[in-house]
Amino acid sequence: MTARATILPFRPKPRRAEKVISNGVLGMLLFVFVEVMLFAGFISAFVIIRSRAVGSVWPPPNQPRLPFAETAVNTSALLASGIVLLIAHRTYRRGNRSIGGLLAVATVLGGVFVALQGVEWLALIREGLTLTSSTYGALFYTIIGAHAVHAVAAIGVLAWAWLRLMAGRLSREAMSTVALFWYFVVVVWPFLYFLVYL
């Protein structure tokens, strides 16, 4: 008795669909969404507490006013950094790998922002605004401090991207992921600046 061979029709392997969005970028988008909710909570708390201030006096008596005009310099450095990174990111996505200078400038401008914030904080502490001086101080350092932590982390990631770029190992996905993080830090700042400092 002979076994009959079964001939199956040829079926080509199904092609894998192209990813609409990379895993790194999707992960960063989810992270940014969570962080937006965090800052929305901070802003809500700030608005509610400020609206209930005794006699609608804000900042509270014996607490210094925040340096709105001086912080405009910090804000300009941060916004300029975001614009430079946007140019670098778009250039890199088009295949031009010579963005080392732009990436370095964006990173340095971010560092200037954080350094000037540190100088501002030292001046405010000398004037008596601390975490424990009032609800005003606690809100200021919590909200602006949370942003500063994000800025420092993002500057570290920008520096990492620059090192990878110099070594010729920065992928487009990694560049986009890093850029998204920095865009979040840049875009959330004007909201905090105008809400908290005014």
Side-chain angles (χ1 to χ4, degrees), residues 152-184:
V152 169
I155 289 166
V157 173
L158 283 172
W160 171 85
W162 183 83
L163 290 171
R164 298 277 296 186
L165 178 72
M166 293 298 102
R169 295 187 320 221
L170 182 65
S171 68
R172 283 186 181 175
E173 176 186 355
M175 181 64 194
S176 294
T177 304
V178 167
L180 274 174
F181 189 18
W182 191 244
Y183 297 154
F184 163 71

PDB file of all heavy atoms in Angstrom, residues 152-184:
ATOM      1  N   VAL A 152      15.585  68.340  33.842  1.00  0.00           N
ATOM      2  CA  VAL A 152      16.908  67.734  34.071  1.00  0.00           C
ATOM      3  C   VAL A 152      16.981  66.356  33.414  1.00  0.00           C
ATOM      4  O   VAL A 152      17.972  66.017  32.746  1.00  0.00           O
ATOM      5  CB  VAL A 152      17.229  67.667  35.579  1.00  0.00           C
ATOM      6  CG1 VAL A 152      18.451  66.805  35.847  1.00  0.00           C
ATOM      7  CG2 VAL A 152      17.425  69.070  36.142  1.00  0.00           C
ATOM      8  N   ALA A 153      15.930  65.552  33.589  1.00  0.00           N
ATOM      9  CA  ALA A 153      15.905  64.218  32.974  1.00  0.00           C
ATOM     10  C   ALA A 153      15.959  64.333  31.448  1.00  0.00           C
ATOM     11  O   ALA A 153      16.701  63.593  30.784  1.00  0.00           O
ATOM     12  CB  ALA A 153      14.657  63.457  33.402  1.00  0.00           C
ATOM     13  N   ALA A 154      15.211  65.267  30.888  1.00  0.00           N
ATOM     14  CA  ALA A 154      15.177  65.431  29.437  1.00  0.00           C
ATOM     15  C   ALA A 154      16.517  65.940  28.908  1.00  0.00           C
ATOM     16  O   ALA A 154      16.943  65.542  27.814  1.00  0.00           O
ATOM     17  CB  ALA A 154      14.044  66.378  29.040  1.00  0.00           C
ATOM     18  N   ILE A 155      17.190  66.794  29.670  1.00  0.00           N
ATOM     19  CA  ILE A 155      18.523  67.257  29.258  1.00  0.00           C
ATOM     20  C   ILE A 155      19.492  66.075  29.231  1.00  0.00           C
ATOM     21  O   ILE A 155      20.305  65.944  28.312  1.00  0.00           O
ATOM     22  CB  ILE A 155      19.026  68.376  30.192  1.00  0.00           C
ATOM     23  CG1 ILE A 155      18.217  69.648  29.949  1.00  0.00           C
ATOM     24  CG2 ILE A 155      20.518  68.635  29.992  1.00  0.00           C
ATOM     25  CD1 ILE A 155      18.393  70.704  31.016  1.00  0.00           C
ATOM     26  N   GLY A 156      19.376  65.208  30.221  1.00  0.00           N
ATOM     27  CA  GLY A 156      20.195  63.998  30.232  1.00  0.00           C
ATOM     28  C   GLY A 156      19.936  63.136  29.007  1.00  0.00           C
ATOM     29  O   GLY A 156      20.867  62.597  28.394  1.00  0.00           O
ATOM     30  N   VAL A 157      18.675  63.028  28.617  1.00  0.00           N
ATOM     31  CA  VAL A 157      18.306  62.229  27.442  1.00  0.00           C
ATOM     32  C   VAL A 157      18.806  62.902  26.164  1.00  0.00           C
ATOM     33  O   VAL A 157      19.277  62.235  25.236  1.00  0.00           O
ATOM     34  CB  VAL A 157      16.779  61.997  27.412  1.00  0.00           C
ATOM     35  CG1 VAL A 157      16.349  61.325  26.131  1.00  0.00           C
ATOM     36  CG2 VAL A 157      16.352  61.152  28.604  1.00  0.00           C
ATOM     37  N   LEU A 158      18.743  64.235  26.104  1.00  0.00           N
ATOM     38  CA  LEU A 158      19.282  64.958  24.948  1.00  0.00           C
ATOM     39  C   LEU A 158      20.790  64.716  24.829  1.00  0.00           C
ATOM     40  O   LEU A 158      21.308  64.503  23.725  1.00  0.00           O
ATOM     41  CB  LEU A 158      19.015  66.458  25.074  1.00  0.00           C
ATOM     42  CG  LEU A 158      17.606  66.958  24.779  1.00  0.00           C
ATOM     43  CD1 LEU A 158      17.481  68.427  25.141  1.00  0.00           C
ATOM     44  CD2 LEU A 158      17.232  66.735  23.328  1.00  0.00           C
ATOM     45  N   ALA A 159      21.489  64.762  25.967  1.00  0.00           N
ATOM     46  CA  ALA A 159      22.933  64.506  25.954  1.00  0.00           C
ATOM     47  C   ALA A 159      23.222  63.079  25.490  1.00  0.00           C
ATOM     48  O   ALA A 159      24.156  62.840  24.708  1.00  0.00           O
ATOM     49  CB  ALA A 159      23.517  64.754  27.348  1.00  0.00           C
ATOM     50  N   TRP A 160      22.410  62.124  25.944  1.00  0.00           N
ATOM     51  CA  TRP A 160      22.550  60.730  25.505  1.00  0.00           C
ATOM     52  C   TRP A 160      22.373  60.632  23.991  1.00  0.00           C
ATOM     53  O   TRP A 160      23.132  59.947  23.298  1.00  0.00           O
ATOM     54  CB  TRP A 160      21.530  59.859  26.232  1.00  0.00           C
ATOM     55  CG  TRP A 160      21.435  58.469  25.703  1.00  0.00           C
ATOM     56  CD1 TRP A 160      22.213  57.402  26.046  1.00  0.00           C
ATOM     57  CD2 TRP A 160      20.505  57.990  24.715  1.00  0.00           C
ATOM     58  NE1 TRP A 160      21.820  56.282  25.331  1.00  0.00           N
ATOM     59  CE2 TRP A 160      20.786  56.616  24.511  1.00  0.00           C
ATOM     60  CE3 TRP A 160      19.479  58.575  23.992  1.00  0.00           C
ATOM     61  CZ2 TRP A 160      20.059  55.829  23.615  1.00  0.00           C
ATOM     62  CZ3 TRP A 160      18.761  57.801  23.093  1.00  0.00           C
ATOM     63  CH2 TRP A 160      19.053  56.441  22.914  1.00  0.00           C
ATOM     64  N   ALA A 161      21.367  61.332  23.470  1.00  0.00           N
ATOM     65  CA  ALA A 161      21.102  61.307  22.023  1.00  0.00           C
ATOM     66  C   ALA A 161      22.289  61.899  21.267  1.00  0.00           C
ATOM     67  O   ALA A 161      22.683  61.383  20.208  1.00  0.00           O
ATOM     68  CB  ALA A 161      19.817  62.073  21.704  1.00  0.00           C
ATOM     69  N   TRP A 162      22.868  62.971  21.798  1.00  0.00           N
ATOM     70  CA  TRP A 162      24.027  63.585  21.140  1.00  0.00           C
ATOM     71  C   TRP A 162      25.197  62.601  21.101  1.00  0.00           C
ATOM     72  O   TRP A 162      25.861  62.464  20.059  1.00  0.00           O
ATOM     73  CB  TRP A 162      24.427  64.863  21.871  1.00  0.00           C
ATOM     74  CG  TRP A 162      25.562  65.573  21.213  1.00  0.00           C
ATOM     75  CD1 TRP A 162      25.496  66.429  20.155  1.00  0.00           C
ATOM     76  CD2 TRP A 162      26.947  65.465  21.552  1.00  0.00           C
ATOM     77  NE1 TRP A 162      26.750  66.867  19.817  1.00  0.00           N
ATOM     78  CE2 TRP A 162      27.667  66.291  20.665  1.00  0.00           C
ATOM     79  CE3 TRP A 162      27.645  64.759  22.531  1.00  0.00           C
ATOM     80  CZ2 TRP A 162      29.046  66.417  20.721  1.00  0.00           C
ATOM     81  CZ3 TRP A 162      29.017  64.884  22.587  1.00  0.00           C
ATOM     82  CH2 TRP A 162      29.710  65.702  21.689  1.00  0.00           C
ATOM     83  N   LEU A 163      25.446  61.909  22.212  1.00  0.00           N
ATOM     84  CA  LEU A 163      26.527  60.917  22.255  1.00  0.00           C
ATOM     85  C   LEU A 163      26.280  59.795  21.246  1.00  0.00           C
ATOM     86  O   LEU A 163      27.193  59.357  20.543  1.00  0.00           O
ATOM     87  CB  LEU A 163      26.682  60.344  23.662  1.00  0.00           C
ATOM     88  CG  LEU A 163      27.237  61.306  24.716  1.00  0.00           C
ATOM     89  CD1 LEU A 163      27.134  60.687  26.104  1.00  0.00           C
ATOM     90  CD2 LEU A 163      28.677  61.684  24.397  1.00  0.00           C
ATOM     91  N   ARG A 164      25.042  59.313  21.165  1.00  0.00           N
ATOM     92  CA  ARG A 164      24.696  58.266  20.197  1.00  0.00           C
ATOM     93  C   ARG A 164      24.884  58.772  18.757  1.00  0.00           C
ATOM     94  O   ARG A 164      25.362  58.047  17.902  1.00  0.00           O
ATOM     95  CB  ARG A 164      23.251  57.806  20.387  1.00  0.00           C
ATOM     96  CG  ARG A 164      22.927  57.193  21.719  1.00  0.00           C
ATOM     97  CD  ARG A 164      23.278  55.771  21.828  1.00  0.00           C
ATOM     98  NE  ARG A 164      22.520  54.946  20.914  1.00  0.00           N
ATOM     99  CZ  ARG A 164      22.588  53.625  20.912  1.00  0.00           C
ATOM    100  NH1 ARG A 164      23.357  53.002  21.780  1.00  0.00           N
ATOM    101  NH2 ARG A 164      21.893  52.919  20.059  1.00  0.00           N
ATOM    102  N   LEU A 165      24.486  60.015  18.533  1.00  0.00           N
ATOM    103  CA  LEU A 165      24.645  60.604  17.210  1.00  0.00           C
ATOM    104  C   LEU A 165      26.125  60.664  16.823  1.00  0.00           C
ATOM    105  O   LEU A 165      26.498  60.308  15.706  1.00  0.00           O
ATOM    106  CB  LEU A 165      24.038  62.013  17.181  1.00  0.00           C
ATOM    107  CG  LEU A 165      24.184  62.778  15.868  1.00  0.00           C
ATOM    108  CD1 LEU A 165      23.277  62.169  14.809  1.00  0.00           C
ATOM    109  CD2 LEU A 165      23.863  64.250  16.066  1.00  0.00           C
ATOM    110  N   MET A 166      26.965  61.121  17.745  1.00  0.00           N
ATOM    111  CA  MET A 166      28.400  61.231  17.477  1.00  0.00           C
ATOM    112  C   MET A 166      29.019  59.861  17.195  1.00  0.00           C
ATOM    113  O   MET A 166      29.981  59.754  16.438  1.00  0.00           O
ATOM    114  CB  MET A 166      29.126  61.899  18.649  1.00  0.00           C
ATOM    115  CG  MET A 166      28.759  63.359  18.862  1.00  0.00           C
ATOM    116  SD  MET A 166      29.170  64.422  17.449  1.00  0.00           S
ATOM    117  CE  MET A 166      27.599  64.657  16.670  1.00  0.00           C
ATOM    118  N   ALA A 167      28.450  58.816  17.815  1.00  0.00           N
ATOM    119  CA  ALA A 167      28.953  57.455  17.593  1.00  0.00           C
ATOM    120  C   ALA A 167      28.315  56.818  16.355  1.00  0.00           C
ATOM    121  O   ALA A 167      28.639  55.684  16.013  1.00  0.00           O
ATOM    122  CB  ALA A 167      28.676  56.593  18.830  1.00  0.00           C
ATOM    123  N   GLY A 168      27.400  57.540  15.695  1.00  0.00           N
ATOM    124  CA  GLY A 168      26.737  57.013  14.506  1.00  0.00           C
ATOM    125  C   GLY A 168      25.703  55.947  14.810  1.00  0.00           C
ATOM    126  O   GLY A 168      25.385  55.120  13.962  1.00  0.00           O
ATOM    127  N   ARG A 169      25.146  55.968  16.035  1.00  0.00           N
ATOM    128  CA  ARG A 169      24.204  54.916  16.424  1.00  0.00           C
ATOM    129  C   ARG A 169      22.849  55.458  16.872  1.00  0.00           C
ATOM    130  O   ARG A 169      22.122  54.787  17.587  1.00  0.00           O
ATOM    131  CB  ARG A 169      24.810  54.088  17.564  1.00  0.00           C
ATOM    132  CG  ARG A 169      26.043  53.319  17.157  1.00  0.00           C
ATOM    133  CD  ARG A 169      26.498  52.410  18.252  1.00  0.00           C
ATOM    134  NE  ARG A 169      26.366  53.036  19.556  1.00  0.00           N
ATOM    135  CZ  ARG A 169      27.257  52.939  20.525  1.00  0.00           C
ATOM    136  NH1 ARG A 169      28.333  52.242  20.358  1.00  0.00           N
ATOM    137  NH2 ARG A 169      27.060  53.530  21.680  1.00  0.00           N
ATOM    138  N   LEU A 170      22.500  56.662  16.457  1.00  0.00           N
ATOM    139  CA  LEU A 170      21.205  57.230  16.849  1.00  0.00           C
ATOM    140  C   LEU A 170      20.180  56.913  15.769  1.00  0.00           C
ATOM    141  O   LEU A 170      20.271  57.395  14.643  1.00  0.00           O
ATOM    142  CB  LEU A 170      21.310  58.746  17.045  1.00  0.00           C
ATOM    143  CG  LEU A 170      20.032  59.446  17.506  1.00  0.00           C
ATOM    144  CD1 LEU A 170      19.626  58.987  18.903  1.00  0.00           C
ATOM    145  CD2 LEU A 170      20.203  60.956  17.472  1.00  0.00           C
ATOM    146  N   SER A 171      19.195  56.097  16.123  1.00  0.00           N
ATOM    147  CA  SER A 171      18.146  55.742  15.163  1.00  0.00           C
ATOM    148  C   SER A 171      17.117  56.870  15.070  1.00  0.00           C
ATOM    149  O   SER A 171      17.021  57.717  15.953  1.00  0.00           O
ATOM    150  CB  SER A 171      17.454  54.451  15.590  1.00  0.00           C
ATOM    151  OG  SER A 171      16.713  54.665  16.781  1.00  0.00           O
ATOM    152  N   ARG A 172      16.357  56.848  13.996  1.00  0.00           N
ATOM    153  CA  ARG A 172      15.287  57.844  13.856  1.00  0.00           C
ATOM    154  C   ARG A 172      14.268  57.696  14.979  1.00  0.00           C
ATOM    155  O   ARG A 172      13.728  58.677  15.476  1.00  0.00           O
ATOM    156  CB  ARG A 172      14.591  57.672  12.511  1.00  0.00           C
ATOM    157  CG  ARG A 172      15.363  58.227  11.357  1.00  0.00           C
ATOM    158  CD  ARG A 172      14.544  58.137  10.106  1.00  0.00           C
ATOM    159  NE  ARG A 172      15.291  58.648   8.977  1.00  0.00           N
ATOM    160  CZ  ARG A 172      14.856  58.602   7.745  1.00  0.00           C
ATOM    161  NH1 ARG A 172      13.687  58.053   7.482  1.00  0.00           N
ATOM    162  NH2 ARG A 172      15.569  59.093   6.765  1.00  0.00           N
ATOM    163  N   GLU A 173      13.968  56.445  15.339  1.00  0.00           N
ATOM    164  CA  GLU A 173      13.007  56.193  16.418  1.00  0.00           C
ATOM    165  C   GLU A 173      13.497  56.805  17.723  1.00  0.00           C
ATOM    166  O   GLU A 173      12.742  57.470  18.439  1.00  0.00           O
ATOM    167  CB  GLU A 173      12.790  54.697  16.605  1.00  0.00           C
ATOM    168  CG  GLU A 173      11.889  54.367  17.775  1.00  0.00           C
ATOM    169  CD  GLU A 173      11.784  52.871  18.044  1.00  0.00           C
ATOM    170  OE1 GLU A 173      12.321  52.059  17.281  1.00  0.00           O
ATOM    171  OE2 GLU A 173      11.147  52.537  19.062  1.00  0.00           O
ATOM    172  N   ALA A 174      14.771  56.598  18.039  1.00  0.00           N
ATOM    173  CA  ALA A 174      15.326  57.148  19.279  1.00  0.00           C
ATOM    174  C   ALA A 174      15.293  58.671  19.251  1.00  0.00           C
ATOM    175  O   ALA A 174      14.941  59.317  20.244  1.00  0.00           O
ATOM    176  CB  ALA A 174      16.748  56.639  19.492  1.00  0.00           C
ATOM    177  N   MET A 175      15.624  59.257  18.110  1.00  0.00           N
ATOM    178  CA  MET A 175      15.597  60.717  17.983  1.00  0.00           C
ATOM    179  C   MET A 175      14.189  61.245  18.197  1.00  0.00           C
ATOM    180  O   MET A 175      13.975  62.232  18.896  1.00  0.00           O
ATOM    181  CB  MET A 175      16.128  61.131  16.606  1.00  0.00           C
ATOM    182  CG  MET A 175      16.158  62.616  16.380  1.00  0.00           C
ATOM    183  SD  MET A 175      17.285  63.439  17.504  1.00  0.00           S
ATOM    184  CE  MET A 175      16.790  65.141  17.274  1.00  0.00           C
ATOM    185  N   SER A 176      13.202  60.579  17.609  1.00  0.00           N
ATOM    186  CA  SER A 176      11.813  61.014  17.771  1.00  0.00           C
ATOM    187  C   SER A 176      11.349  60.862  19.216  1.00  0.00           C
ATOM    188  O   SER A 176      10.625  61.724  19.731  1.00  0.00           O
ATOM    189  CB  SER A 176      10.896  60.214  16.846  1.00  0.00           C
ATOM    190  OG  SER A 176      11.178  60.518  15.509  1.00  0.00           O
ATOM    191  N   THR A 177      11.770  59.801  19.871  1.00  0.00           N
ATOM    192  CA  THR A 177      11.383  59.570  21.263  1.00  0.00           C
ATOM    193  C   THR A 177      11.959  60.652  22.167  1.00  0.00           C
ATOM    194  O   THR A 177      11.260  61.228  23.006  1.00  0.00           O
ATOM    195  CB  THR A 177      11.853  58.171  21.713  1.00  0.00           C
ATOM    196  OG1 THR A 177      11.315  57.197  20.816  1.00  0.00           O
ATOM    197  CG2 THR A 177      11.391  57.856  23.117  1.00  0.00           C
ATOM    198  N   VAL A 178      13.235  60.952  21.978  1.00  0.00           N
ATOM    199  CA  VAL A 178      13.904  61.996  22.763  1.00  0.00           C
ATOM    200  C   VAL A 178      13.246  63.349  22.496  1.00  0.00           C
ATOM    201  O   VAL A 178      12.976  64.117  23.432  1.00  0.00           O
ATOM    202  CB  VAL A 178      15.409  62.033  22.409  1.00  0.00           C
ATOM    203  CG1 VAL A 178      16.080  63.282  22.948  1.00  0.00           C
ATOM    204  CG2 VAL A 178      16.105  60.782  22.925  1.00  0.00           C
ATOM    205  N   ALA A 179      12.979  63.632  21.229  1.00  0.00           N
ATOM    206  CA  ALA A 179      12.373  64.914  20.876  1.00  0.00           C
ATOM    207  C   ALA A 179      10.997  65.081  21.516  1.00  0.00           C
ATOM    208  O   ALA A 179      10.675  66.161  22.029  1.00  0.00           O
ATOM    209  CB  ALA A 179      12.273  65.043  19.356  1.00  0.00           C
ATOM    210  N   LEU A 180      10.195  64.037  21.536  1.00  0.00           N
ATOM    211  CA  LEU A 180       8.867  64.119  22.161  1.00  0.00           C
ATOM    212  C   LEU A 180       8.964  64.494  23.639  1.00  0.00           C
ATOM    213  O   LEU A 180       8.181  65.305  24.137  1.00  0.00           O
ATOM    214  CB  LEU A 180       8.140  62.784  22.030  1.00  0.00           C
ATOM    215  CG  LEU A 180       7.359  62.560  20.749  1.00  0.00           C
ATOM    216  CD1 LEU A 180       6.822  61.136  20.702  1.00  0.00           C
ATOM    217  CD2 LEU A 180       6.222  63.555  20.640  1.00  0.00           C
ATOM    218  N   PHE A 181       9.921  63.891  24.328  1.00  0.00           N
ATOM    219  CA  PHE A 181      10.104  64.190  25.750  1.00  0.00           C
ATOM    220  C   PHE A 181      10.452  65.670  25.930  1.00  0.00           C
ATOM    221  O   PHE A 181       9.879  66.362  26.771  1.00  0.00           O
ATOM    222  CB  PHE A 181      11.185  63.284  26.330  1.00  0.00           C
ATOM    223  CG  PHE A 181      11.331  63.337  27.826  1.00  0.00           C
ATOM    224  CD1 PHE A 181      10.349  63.847  28.649  1.00  0.00           C
ATOM    225  CD2 PHE A 181      12.484  62.847  28.431  1.00  0.00           C
ATOM    226  CE1 PHE A 181      10.494  63.879  30.033  1.00  0.00           C
ATOM    227  CE2 PHE A 181      12.642  62.875  29.807  1.00  0.00           C
ATOM    228  CZ  PHE A 181      11.640  63.397  30.601  1.00  0.00           C
ATOM    229  N   TRP A 182      11.383  66.165  25.107  1.00  0.00           N
ATOM    230  CA  TRP A 182      11.784  67.574  25.248  1.00  0.00           C
ATOM    231  C   TRP A 182      10.656  68.513  24.849  1.00  0.00           C
ATOM    232  O   TRP A 182      10.439  69.542  25.478  1.00  0.00           O
ATOM    233  CB  TRP A 182      13.043  67.858  24.434  1.00  0.00           C
ATOM    234  CG  TRP A 182      13.612  69.203  24.758  1.00  0.00           C
ATOM    235  CD1 TRP A 182      13.737  70.263  23.932  1.00  0.00           C
ATOM    236  CD2 TRP A 182      14.115  69.648  26.036  1.00  0.00           C
ATOM    237  NE1 TRP A 182      14.286  71.344  24.590  1.00  0.00           N
ATOM    238  CE2 TRP A 182      14.530  70.975  25.886  1.00  0.00           C
ATOM    239  CE3 TRP A 182      14.256  69.032  27.275  1.00  0.00           C
ATOM    240  CZ2 TRP A 182      15.073  71.722  26.935  1.00  0.00           C
ATOM    241  CZ3 TRP A 182      14.796  69.761  28.320  1.00  0.00           C
ATOM    242  CH2 TRP A 182      15.192  71.100  28.142  1.00  0.00           C
ATOM    243  N   TYR A 183       9.884  68.156  23.805  1.00  0.00           N
ATOM    244  CA  TYR A 183       8.745  68.992  23.426  1.00  0.00           C
ATOM    245  C   TYR A 183       7.758  69.121  24.585  1.00  0.00           C
ATOM    246  O   TYR A 183       7.193  70.189  24.822  1.00  0.00           O
ATOM    247  CB  TYR A 183       8.012  68.416  22.212  1.00  0.00           C
ATOM    248  CG  TYR A 183       8.823  68.339  20.944  1.00  0.00           C
ATOM    249  CD1 TYR A 183       8.513  67.401  19.968  1.00  0.00           C
ATOM    250  CD2 TYR A 183       9.898  69.193  20.698  1.00  0.00           C
ATOM    251  CE1 TYR A 183       9.243  67.323  18.790  1.00  0.00           C
ATOM    252  CE2 TYR A 183      10.639  69.110  19.530  1.00  0.00           C
ATOM    253  CZ  TYR A 183      10.303  68.170  18.582  1.00  0.00           C
ATOM    254  OH  TYR A 183      11.020  68.093  17.422  1.00  0.00           O
ATOM    255  N   PHE A 184       7.537  68.024  25.300  1.00  0.00           N
ATOM    256  CA  PHE A 184       6.634  68.078  26.450  1.00  0.00           C
ATOM    257  C   PHE A 184       7.153  69.076  27.482  1.00  0.00           C
ATOM    258  O   PHE A 184       6.408  69.923  27.980  1.00  0.00           O
ATOM    259  CB  PHE A 184       6.491  66.690  27.084  1.00  0.00           C
ATOM    260  CG  PHE A 184       5.920  66.723  28.471  1.00  0.00           C
ATOM    261  CD1 PHE A 184       4.582  67.037  28.683  1.00  0.00           C
ATOM    262  CD2 PHE A 184       6.721  66.469  29.576  1.00  0.00           C
ATOM    263  CE1 PHE A 184       4.061  67.100  29.966  1.00  0.00           C
ATOM    264  CE2 PHE A 184       6.211  66.525  30.849  1.00  0.00           C
ATOM    265  CZ  PHE A 184       4.870  66.839  31.053  1.00  0.00           C
TER     266      PHE A 184
END
